[in-house]
Amino acid sequence: MTPLEKINSMQIPFAQLKRVTFIEAEKDRVVARMLVRPDLCTLGHTIHGGAIMAFADSVGAAATIINLPDDAKGTTTIESKTNFMGGAKEGTTVVAIATPVHRGRRTQVWQTRLETEEGKLVALVTQTQMVL
Amino acid sequence: MTPLEKINSMQIPFAQLKRVTFIEAEKDRVVARMLVRPDLCTLGHTIHGGAIMAFADSVGAAATIINLPDDAKGTTTIESKTNFMGGAKEGTTVVAIATPVHRGRRTQVWQTRLETEEGKLVALVTQTQMVL
Amino acid sequence: MTPLEKINSMQIPFAQLKRVTFIEAEKDRVVARMLVRPDLCTLGHTIHGGAIMAFADSVGAAATIINLPDDAKGTTTIESKTNFMGGAKEGTTVVAIATPVHRGRRTQVWQTRLETEEGKLVALVTQTQMVL
Amino acid sequence: MTPLEKINSMQIPFAQLKRVTFIEAEKDRVVARMLVRPDLCTLGHTIHGGAIMAFADSVGAAATIINLPDDAKGTTTIESKTNFMGGAKEGTTVVAIATPVHRGRRTQVWQTRLETEEGKLVALVTQTQMVL
């Protein structure tokens, strides 16, 4: 099973509700896409900040999972920080790219950059995952 | 229109998707509830971290809105930080209580405490809202 | 040895450089004071943001230490988040009050409120401590 | 005056107390060094987390200043988030490299990577600066 197959096999309900699609998964980089559906928006037909954070959380957690040591029981997000920089309109697609900041025995720290398809920065998320 | 009516009239699509229900809205305190539906979960029938952050974001933003000065054009979340402390199982209800940390001319800072109905802490969210 | 004596016995060099004075230490609340000396300022004779964060870090870590289980080897800050709300002028005193958000087996989360002596909010710091 | 000369001319007292030395300053990248003096340490002759945050804050603020529009009155840090990844021993030098995440009209977001001279990651700091 490739890392991408592993991630796709997990079938996380909330990631499916938002229709997060993983398109690349290597140990050093996980990429996913999400269409800005009307029901993921706030007023003004723009992606809701909560949908941005939820999308990034799914990608950072997936990246941690494919980097867990064999004897780990799983992972849980212990904290997450988002800076919002720009909007993304209904009907466009947001791309999330997660790269590792730190992969330790007890914790992993991942940073996820969210962009429009044109490469405009939407948000930057840094999250700490506990290795269980 | 009371503050609660004002919040309920806004009809934010992503808050509706998660079925966020506001039950109290005063200038100093906004409270909402959300049922942990199966599609808001991660594996193990536990609320997804992203659903927690998205729920809190809705409550903090609503609290900001009812505190905006009359001449403000709106508000946008510029950053948000979450500490995750405990889980909430599918079928239970999470309660979010937002209280102000700072209400300035240019920014507002709100803190939202998320608990189970039994009062067990699930997460603590601190977010900064820009006054537009 | 009382918790306050324990904290005072630790003699942390960087806390001493800033002359952090602990005045209250109970398991649920640690309070310290720091005079805004000229060399703790930024331009304009106002406390430097870095001095605020450093002060809070000392107080949050001390609070963790007096709450460690007997078999713990120590604690380390794994992440810290500060919101800055107001200034404090050279020559005034800043008071830091740390209260627990979460005290678990693996991590503790503390929140430190920094105020002027008149009670004006200067900053709010939330930090996660790993239990070693 | 080059950007580096501008930064060096500012003479921030708290940066001087820690002896922060700026060695590179371009609009897209500011680099500084700080010797881990004994009085910047916590127990165990290791740099204090507060000294790390304070160092980074100085570098991020300096980077903002050389990117301010001509009509700006200054800048203030509104929030700062640090992830701590590794230690740095007394007597070694820590290098801070600040790069921009966002340079907007109202806010700038900078990320500062702190490393040992051997390139080992010590901490990652993300801060938001308000443009005044």
Side-chain angles (χ1 to χ4, degrees):
Chain A
M1 199 155 58
T2 67
L4 185 56
E5 287 165 349
K6 181 170 185 181
I7 289 173
N8 283 328
S9 72
M10 295 195 323
Q11 312 241 24
I12 310 281
F14 189 53
Q16 294 181 319
L17 176 64
K18 305 187 305 288
R19 211 156 296 163
V20 172
T21 309
F22 287 92
I23 55 174
E24 206 184 309
E26 292 158 60
K27 289 216 157 188
D28 286 344
R29 179 181 156 94
V30 173
V31 182
R33 296 163 57 91
M34 187 176 78
L35 174 68
V36 183
R37 279 195 327 235
D39 60 1
L40 299 178
C41 284
T42 183
L43 298 180
H45 304 278
T46 304
I47 191 167
H48 192 284
I52 292 170
M53 294 191 284
F55 177 26
D57 189 55
S58 294
V59 182
T64 304
I65 285 167
I66 62 173
N67 279 280
L68 286 176
D70 288 339
D71 59 347
K73 293 190 198 74
T75 181
T76 185
T77 310
I78 59 174
E79 60 89 25
S80 180
K81 165 69 163 78
T82 301
N83 288 75
F84 297 98
M85 255 74 67
K89 282 292 172 191
E90 187 185 308
T92 65
T93 291
V94 174
V95 182
I97 303 136
T99 50
V101 175
H102 172 69
R103 283 173 288 188
R105 223 163 13 91
R106 283 181 303 224
T107 59
Q108 292 187 22
V109 179
W110 286 82
Q111 197 151 75
T112 303
R113 195 179 162 87
L114 295 108
E115 302 177 347
T116 64
E117 284 192 293
E118 291 72 40
K120 185 170 73 82
L121 185 60
V122 171
L124 183 68
V125 178
T126 309
Q127 75 195 71
T128 304
Q129 298 285 136
M130 177 77 79
V131 176
L132 300 177
Chain B
M1 200 155 55
T2 66
L4 185 57
E5 288 164 347
K6 181 168 186 184
I7 289 174
N8 283 328
S9 72
M10 296 195 322
Q11 313 242 21
I12 310 281
F14 189 53
Q16 293 181 320
L17 176 65
K18 304 188 305 287
R19 213 157 296 166
V20 172
T21 309
F22 288 91
I23 56 174
E24 205 184 308
E26 290 157 63
K27 289 216 157 188
D28 286 343
R29 179 181 155 95
V30 174
V31 182
R33 297 162 57 89
M34 185 178 77
L35 173 68
V36 183
R37 279 194 327 234
D39 60 0
L40 299 177
C41 285
T42 182
L43 298 180
H45 303 278
T46 304
I47 190 168
H48 191 285
I52 293 170
M53 294 190 287
F55 178 25
D57 189 55
S58 294
V59 183
T64 304
I65 285 166
I66 63 173
N67 278 280
L68 286 176
D70 288 339
D71 59 346
K73 292 188 199 77
T75 179
T76 187
T77 310
I78 59 173
E79 61 90 25
S80 179
K81 166 68 164 78
T82 302
N83 288 75
F84 297 97
M85 256 72 68
K89 282 293 173 191
E90 187 184 309
T92 66
T93 291
V94 175
V95 182
I97 303 135
T99 49
V101 175
H102 172 71
R103 284 173 286 188
R105 220 163 16 92
R106 281 180 304 222
T107 59
Q108 293 188 22
V109 179
W110 286 82
Q111 197 151 75
T112 303
R113 193 178 163 88
L114 295 109
E115 302 178 348
T116 63
E117 284 192 293
E118 291 74 38
K120 186 170 73 83
L121 184 60
V122 171
L124 183 68
V125 178
T126 309
Q127 76 195 69
T128 304
Q129 298 286 136
M130 178 77 80
V131 176
L132 300 176
Chain C
M1 198 154 59
T2 67
L4 186 56
E5 287 165 350
K6 182 170 185 181
I7 289 172
N8 283 328
S9 72
M10 296 196 322
Q11 313 241 20
I12 309 282
F14 189 52
Q16 293 181 320
L17 176 64
K18 303 187 306 287
R19 211 155 297 166
V20 172
T21 309
F22 288 91
I23 56 173
E24 204 183 310
E26 290 157 64
K27 288 216 158 188
D28 286 342
R29 182 181 153 95
V30 173
V31 183
R33 297 163 56 91
M34 186 177 79
L35 174 67
V36 183
R37 281 195 325 237
D39 60 1
L40 299 178
C41 285
T42 182
L43 297 181
H45 304 277
T46 304
I47 191 168
H48 192 285
I52 292 170
M53 294 191 285
F55 177 26
D57 188 57
S58 295
V59 182
T64 304
I65 285 166
I66 63 173
N67 278 278
L68 285 177
D70 288 340
D71 59 345
K73 293 189 198 77
T75 180
T76 184
T77 310
I78 59 173
E79 61 90 24
S80 180
K81 166 67 163 79
T82 301
N83 288 76
F84 297 97
M85 255 73 67
K89 281 293 173 191
E90 188 184 308
T92 66
T93 292
V94 175
V95 182
I97 303 136
T99 50
V101 174
H102 171 70
R103 283 172 287 188
R105 218 163 17 91
R106 283 182 302 225
T107 58
Q108 292 188 22
V109 178
W110 286 82
Q111 197 150 75
T112 303
R113 195 178 161 88
L114 295 108
E115 302 176 347
T116 63
E117 283 192 295
E118 291 74 38
K120 186 170 72 84
L121 184 59
V122 172
L124 183 68
V125 178
T126 309
Q127 75 196 71
T128 304
Q129 297 285 136
M130 177 76 80
V131 176
L132 300 176
Chain D
M1 196 154 59
T2 67
L4 186 56
E5 288 165 349
K6 181 170 185 181
I7 289 173
N8 283 328
S9 72
M10 296 193 324
Q11 313 242 21
I12 310 281
F14 190 52
Q16 293 181 320
L17 176 65
K18 304 188 305 289
R19 210 156 299 165
V20 172
T21 308
F22 288 91
I23 56 175
E24 207 183 308
E26 291 157 63
K27 288 215 156 189
D28 285 343
R29 179 181 154 96
V30 173
V31 183
R33 296 163 58 92
M34 185 177 78
L35 174 67
V36 183
R37 278 194 327 232
D39 59 1
L40 299 178
C41 285
T42 183
L43 297 181
H45 303 278
T46 303
I47 190 167
H48 192 285
I52 292 170
M53 293 190 287
F55 177 25
D57 188 56
S58 295
V59 182
T64 304
I65 286 166
I66 62 172
N67 278 278
L68 286 176
D70 287 340
D71 59 347
K73 292 189 199 77
T75 181
T76 184
T77 309
I78 60 173
E79 60 89 25
S80 179
K81 165 69 163 75
T82 302
N83 288 76
F84 296 98
M85 256 72 69
K89 283 292 172 190
E90 186 184 309
T92 65
T93 291
V94 175
V95 182
I97 304 137
T99 51
V101 175
H102 172 71
R103 284 173 286 188
R105 220 164 14 92
R106 281 181 304 224
T107 59
Q108 292 188 22
V109 179
W110 287 82
Q111 197 152 75
T112 304
R113 193 179 163 88
L114 296 108
E115 303 177 347
T116 64
E117 284 192 292
E118 291 73 38
K120 185 170 74 82
L121 185 60
V122 171
L124 183 68
V125 178
T126 309
Q127 76 196 68
T128 304
Q129 299 285 137
M130 178 76 80
V131 176
L132 300 176

